[in-house]
Amino acid sequence: MSWMRGVTCQVHEWRAARARWKADMERYKTEQRTARASGKEVRDPGPPPTGFALLPWLLMGMGAFSNILQGRTQQPWIGAIGLLAFNSLYIYVTFRAFVKETREARSTRVALVLMGLVTCTLAIVYGGTWLYFFPLLGLATGAIVRGAWLGRTGFALTAVAAVVSAYRAGWDAVNVAYGTFLSTMVTAAILSLSEAVRELRAAREELARRAVEKERLRFSRDLHDLLGHTLSVIVVKSEAARRLATRDLDAALVQVTDIESVGRQALTEIREAVTGYREGSLATELDRARSALSAAGVEPVVRQSGPPLVPQTEALLGWVVREAVTNVVRHSGATHCEITVDGTPDRVRLTVTDDGTGSAAASSPGSAAAAGIGGTGLKGLTERLATAGGSLEAGPGARAGFQVRAELPVEATDLTEVPA
């Protein structure tokens, strides 16, 4: 029978809700004990409310139940059926009030309307203690109706309760109407506030999680850019020192000294990257680029013009120079590299062009050049520059080789911030 299956499903839902409530209570108590043991403040608002929190209010109907048992109710079987119907609808509605999808479902609204009809019918027929079903109806209404319709619904329900109560109980209608209005508004306010607190807590946890991911992403990008460039320079200078050691010991010692200097600087930069306070200097990066290109046998040409740049803009352009020169040294096989910094009052443009085979290599998806040029380095820089209001393009040069072109605003703030 379909109605038996419906009742069975509802019982299963209540049991599942009770199990969730008990699990939430156990979790909350465990967190409280842990927090007390560690001396921390307990900020958890507790387990989420369920329909069980509204069940005790059914005791307001004990007067009507007592009248039925004592035989003071006319046609007690009708009263018993009405009491059973009201309690069943109340439980059904309140247990569906704490999940937005079920609260806004049509079946829930229909059950609330039926509950209102049963309440009015019982109050008109019997009066007396049966009038106190109106505050219970208001409680269920406040649990279901939210937003713009709450005020209108609350006033309409209060007016109906006042009219029916005045018909059956005279001046006692004031108490019933006041109780109905109060239970409707207070229930809606408390549950709405509870939901808002939990949504804020969930948002706080999400922001904390994103902050951790953001910092992890920043550190991984900084570490990639720092170590990729630094290790490439060390390898190139080590090869140069090995070649010069047999015929020009002084020149080899110069390369070894440069290796020591690069290593010390790398240690400093890694410490700064860990703490998040690293700011690069464009002039410093250009000097390092000249040294790295020369040690690799690539002729460097550096041109710089335009207005002074803010430190954040210099830091980002320094990252671009570092990554582009690293790719030239490692992948291009070039003999000539030109770095141009050209600024206007509003924008600054950086171009790194080589005459190597980087464009051909990059076209091969499986090549090392493709992995470097289209990999983590320039991809991360593209996201950084986009966040700063700029752009980064990389591809074959106009005549040959490979070209990296970056453009940024001359003045901006927090440009080195990594996008979420």
Side-chain angles (χ1 to χ4, degrees):
M1 298 171 66
S2 59
W3 67 272
M4 283 295 295
R5 286 196 298 270
V7 171
T8 303
C9 292
Q10 188 62 45
V11 171
H12 289 327
E13 288 184 9
W14 292 340
R15 288 179 178 176
R18 184 172 183 273
R20 289 194 298 269
W21 180 76
K22 292 179 66 176
D24 290 331
M25 283 296 297
E26 289 297 327
R27 177 187 61 81
Y28 178 52
K29 291 178 181 179
T30 302
E31 290 181 359
Q32 279 187 319
R33 288 193 294 266
T34 304
R36 291 195 191 99
S38 60
K40 296 181 180 179
E41 181 183 356
V42 182
R43 295 184 177 179
D44 196 316
T50 64
F52 290 100
L54 301 179
L55 286 184
W57 293 102
L58 283 176
L59 293 175
M60 294 180 63
M62 287 299 295
F65 182 69
S66 175
N67 289 339
I68 293 176
L69 290 181
Q70 295 176 9
R72 292 186 294 178
T73 301
Q74 297 178 356
Q75 299 177 334
W77 286 108
I78 296 178
I81 293 174
L83 184 61
L84 177 63
F86 179 88
N87 290 341
S88 300
L89 289 170
Y90 178 88
I91 294 173
Y92 177 82
V93 168
T94 53
F95 270 87
R96 295 173 66 87
F98 297 93
V99 179
K100 184 177 180 181
E101 290 74 15
T102 56
R103 182 172 66 237
E104 296 178 352
R106 178 177 297 180
S107 58
T108 305
R109 303 300 173 95
V110 170
L112 185 62
V113 172
L114 291 176
M115 185 179 171
L117 293 177
V118 171
T119 302
C120 291
T121 302
L122 293 175
I124 293 173
V125 172
Y126 295 112
T129 56
W130 297 81
L131 296 174
Y132 293 106
F133 285 168
F134 276 112
L136 284 175
L137 176 60
L139 193 148
T141 302
I144 295 298
V145 181
R146 309 284 174 85
W149 284 94
L150 175 62
R152 284 173 281 186
T153 305
F155 280 112
L157 179 59
T158 302
V160 172
V163 171
V164 175
S165 301
Y167 170 71
R168 293 295 305 183
W171 285 103
D172 195 41
V174 175
N175 295 329
V176 175
Y178 177 73
T180 302
F181 180 78
L182 196 64
S183 63
T184 302
M185 296 304 174
V186 170
T187 302
I190 291 176
L191 296 184
S192 298
L193 182 61
S194 175
E195 286 188 1
V197 169
R198 294 183 183 283
E199 288 175 359
L200 288 174
R201 180 170 178 262
R204 183 184 64 188
E205 293 176 352
E206 178 66 16
L207 288 175
R209 184 186 64 81
R210 290 190 178 185
V212 172
E213 291 182 354
K214 183 178 179 180
E215 180 63 15
R216 185 181 296 135
L217 180 60
R218 179 201 67 80
F219 180 71
S220 65
R221 286 173 173 174
D222 285 1
L223 200 62
H224 170 273
D225 294 341
L226 286 169
L227 293 183
H229 173 77
T230 301
L231 294 178
S232 296
V233 172
I234 289 175
V235 169
V236 169
K237 287 186 173 290
S238 299
E239 292 175 350
R242 177 176 53 80
R243 291 194 304 267
L244 294 171
T246 57
R247 62 177 186 273
D248 191 344
L249 186 58
D250 292 337
L253 288 175
V254 171
Q255 297 295 331
V256 172
T257 302
D258 288 344
I259 293 173
E260 181 183 1
S261 176
V262 169
R264 292 182 184 277
Q265 183 64 30
L267 288 174
T268 302
E269 291 177 343
I270 288 175
R271 293 190 189 101
E272 293 172 345
V274 169
T275 56
Y277 292 118
R278 183 178 188 277
E279 283 191 359
S281 167
L282 181 58
T284 301
E285 294 297 342
L286 291 175
D287 290 339
R288 291 177 184 173
R290 289 191 188 96
S291 176
L293 291 170
S294 298
V298 181
E299 179 187 0
V301 176
V302 179
R303 299 186 180 91
Q304 186 174 6
S305 62
L309 305 175
V310 297
Q312 293 86 356
T313 306
E314 285 201 6
L316 269 184
L317 293 179
W319 284 116
V320 177
V321 170
R322 176 184 287 257
E323 180 66 25
V325 170
T326 300
N327 286 331
V328 172
V329 171
R330 293 173 60 187
H331 306 307
S332 69
T335 59
H336 180 87
C337 180
E338 183 174 324
I339 304 174
T340 304
V341 181
D342 183 21
T344 66
D346 298 325
R347 310 283 289 183
V348 60
R349 182 181 295 106
L350 168 69
T351 306
V352 181
T353 307
D354 65 69
D355 62 351
T357 59
S359 60
S363 62
S364 176
S367 64
I373 293 170
T376 305
L378 291 182
K379 181 180 179 181
L381 286 174
T382 301
E383 295 176 356
R384 291 190 184 189
L385 267 66
T387 301
S391 61
L392 180 69
E393 298 177 357
R399 288 173 290 182
F402 198 79
Q403 183 181 81
V404 176
R405 184 170 59 256
E407 187 173 338
L408 278 170
V410 171
E411 294 184 3
T413 57
D414 297 332
L415 292 178
T416 55
E417 190 75 17
V418 181

